[in-house]
Amino acid sequence: MTDQQEQELSTSLDSSSSIGSSLSENNKMYNKLKRQGSRSSVLATRPGRSQSISKDSQKQVMNEDPDTKTWSRHKKHFFILSSAGKPIWTRYGDEAGISSLMGVIQAIISFFQADDDSVKCMNAGHHKFVFQLKDPLYLVAVAKTGESEAHLRDQLLYLHSQILSVLTSLQLTKIFEQRINFDLRRLLSGTEVFLDSLSTLFNNDHGFMLGALQCLRVSKTLRDQIGNALADGRPKDLLYAIIVSNGKLVTLLRPRKHSLHPSDLHLLFNMLTGSTTFRTAESWTPLCLPKLNSKGFLHAYICYIERDTAVVMISTNKDSFFELSDWKKQIVETLTSSGALLKLQQAADESYSASDIGIPALRHFIYKSKMHIQFTCPELEAPYTNPVNRRRLHRLYQRSHDRLHSKTRPLKLYYLAGEHESILGWITSSFELYVVFNATVPKSTVITSSNHLLRWIKKHEDMLFILNSPVF
Amino acid sequence: MAARQQQQQGASTQGKTYQFKLVLLGESAVGKSSLVMRFVKDHFDEYRESTIGAAFLAQTISLDDNTTVKFEIWDTAGQERYKSLAPMYYRNANCAVVVYDITQSASLEKAKAWVNELQRQADPNIVIALAGNKSDLDSRRAVETETAQAYADEAGLLFFETSAKTAHNVTQLFTSIAKRMPLDQLADQSRNKNKGLNPRGVDLSRPTNPNNCAC
């Protein structure tokens, strides 16, 4: 079946190369390459992860020539198509080249729909095919990464939310009601970078799997200082004000009754890291936060105030740009004169690592506070600075997470001693913990060291997490 | 709101600073943001990502020892889905740069549509410049200079072929616009005109600042 699949992919791509001879198709291909190239340049500037990711992305870009073998060799494909079978977005290659493959996907889905059934997941050899039907869109993942159906489905839902954040569910439904054959690429153009960067982030950022946010580790005093600056002089149409450094949350001002869903924040953070466009000016854009309200647009003011630190303000009023811009100036003045902005940049530059904690043989960990829907994890150190090891670690976390959250038989504790490292997964009513040790460490030490780690986290709780964010 | 005349109080210069709102329009990927980046930061990115929504920037140029012009620039995204937002940005604009790509003839047609819309809907006194960008790609040229020049003359537009990449004609473009602005009259006149032009009251302009307001 795997070979058959590859053949199918190959045929569809062969047909694409004949289409691809026209100039505009060449341009599109060039744009796609450019898009993926520039994505690597964005991610490469992020410290800590830079080396491994930029290498990955360079490889991707080189593989994107319409040579069929390299295309089907990618470990994980995502496809988005309309329910009429029109390609909307593909993670690799150009959308125009995958039309016949989209036809096959549509046929599979229709085959089940004819019996009032819907296809969810298929396994074929090492490949897993996950289908998410979100009328008028179909989202499909084809992966041989070993990720679970649940994780792949979550990822498809994030991609779907990204499309909603550009168009809203209302507009999306209306477009396809009016014209079932509509080519949605026209309306999404320019935002494909965000789908691209989300797909890459799924392999690096634990937040998507955990459904939680990572906060920047800063002292409580500094966080409060920044929070107070936000609480002062708030414009009347403001809904949320967020300070974010390197994709990590610093502080969030919100109305008492409306907290922000982590999924919406992930989309926001992905926007900031997924494109360089926000770094050069003050930006003002309509934006839908699907979990808050998938039907309507809010308006986002985005501005970088330090090298890696951005302010995001969400307003209900499309005319409030200058008011927000003035308020930002005031906030920056306050934070600059108190030295807080400088300290913030320092905190963003020097995160913590597992070796700082002083627990022998501890390599890495993830701790999620269920109450705060936030997680913390140290920066990666050797051996995980190497891309192969990093990927293995990420898959190990995914596997443990999947076992703890298995729908049929969830576990409270999961221990796996592997060839390269051992992992303990532990879930209680208040936290989720995943700890990775050297492979040689005995199980008893794993338990005592994990308890030691929990005490360390408790002690530093007010630095690692936002315990009370400013509200109004 | 519209042109704000600012008397500089400083002892060193007795000059005047005029402030104008400028909007950039045109099809996506013709180089609007690159032109602004060249003008404001004298910088060019080979791989620039699409503008999301609109970007706001400001740049000041001096016309002579006594006259300084500050442009407040709305660099709009060219994609179809932002089309309905454009009036929000051009409604109070004193000047506009409509950009096309000399290697894509369809982009000139799009530029003409923008010019028509501006002439119908924007301030009647708006100064419009047509910019044929990517002049460095002369070998792939699809729009002849004469064709665009003839159109610009007919429609009463300033016209430049520019290259954000090489900086060719970029400063000239913005300087010519500044010179075309009727500096002394604008400060008083356009205020009232703008009021009549905004029956819907949807404008994105800054709340009037008492310190540098011309009223």
Side-chain angles (χ1 to χ4, degrees), chain A residues 46-65:
Chain A
R46 301 179 67 182
R49 306 160 166 180
S50 57
Q51 271 196 325
S52 53
I53 294 179
S54 64
K55 267 187 203 151
D56 284 0
S57 310
Q58 273 165 15
K59 197 176 70 192
Q60 281 168 15
V61 173
M62 280 173 2
N63 282 352
E64 287 315 319
D65 63 323

Side-chain angles (χ1 to χ4, degrees), chain A residues 1 105 108-109 112 117-133 139-144 146-154 156 402 407:
Chain A
M1 180 63 193
I105 292 177
I108 295 171
I109 293 169
F112 288 93
D117 199 354
S118 65
V119 56
K120 291 205 164 123
C121 181
M122 300 191 311
N123 291 297
H126 294 295
H127 284 86
K128 198 181 278 294
F129 295 69
V130 179
F131 298 80
Q132 184 68 52
L133 313 187
L139 301 98
V140 181
V142 180
K144 50 178 175 183
E147 287 167 283
S148 69
E149 182 196 339
H151 283 155
L152 291 169
R153 190 172 301 287
D154 274 354
L156 291 177
D402 195 50
K407 276 200 183 107

